[in-house]
Amino acid sequence: VQLQASGGGLVQPGGSLRLSCATSGSIFRFNAMGWYRQAPGNQRELVAGITSGGITNYADSVKGRFTISRDNAKNTVYLQMNSLKPEDTAVYYCNAVFVYGLGSRYDYWGQGTLVTVSS
C-alpha cells in the first residue's frame, strides 16, 4: 500500500491550499482515511478524518476552515484548507486505517508534505 501526498507549499495568512492523497489500489480497502499534522516540537495530531461511509470529523482548531473529501473513482482523499493561519504550519501526513479481526487496526502513512503559512 502506498499513499502519495501532494499539494503543500508556502501560502500567506488567509490563503488556501488543497492537499491530495492518492492511494495505490482501491480506496475502499480502508475503513477510514485522514490527515494528521506535526509542527516542530509538537506531537502528531489528527486534523481531519473521513470514513468509508463518508462521515467526517475535524479538530476543533480547523472546523469551518478545512474540508476533507474523497473521490472514490480516483482513489484520492483531499484536504481543502482555507483561511490558513501561521499556526497551521506543519508537515501534513496522509493516513489510511485498515480494521481487521476484533477491532484491531493497522495504519498506513504517506510521506509528509510541508505547509508553511507565512507573510
Side-chain angles (χ1 to χ4, degrees):
V1 175
Q2 290 186 332
L3 305 177
Q4 184 67 43
S6 61
L10 173 64
V11 63
Q12 292 186 342
S16 298
L17 281 175
R18 188 177 79 157
L19 305 183
S20 300
C21 176
T23 69
S24 59
S26 174
I27 199 172
F28 287 107
R29 291 176 292 170
F30 307 114
N31 299 86
M33 295 190 68
W35 289 93
Y36 287 70
R37 68 186 180 187
Q38 187 168 19
N42 290 356
Q43 290 188 332
R44 191 175 295 188
E45 62 174 357
L46 176 66
V47 176
I50 185 166
T51 70
S52 56
I55 298 172
T56 59
N57 66 292
Y58 297 92
D60 288 342
S61 59
V62 307
K63 283 181 181 177
R65 300 188 297 123
F66 291 11
T67 302
I68 189 170
S69 63
R70 54 192 287 160
D71 186 330
N72 295 329
K74 295 183 178 180
N75 295 314
T76 300
V77 172
Y78 302 98
L79 184 68
Q80 178 66 44
M81 305 185 294
N82 298 328
S83 303
L84 283 161
K85 305 175 181 180
E87 51 263 43
D88 294 318
T89 295
V91 178
Y92 285 70
Y93 296 91
C94 178
N95 167 265
V97 177
F98 177 69
V99 177
Y100 62 97
L102 298 178
S104 298
R105 63 180 279 170
Y106 187 87
D107 287 73
Y108 296 91
W109 294 95
Q111 88 288 4
T113 184
L114 177 62
V115 173
T116 304
V117 184
S118 175
S119 55

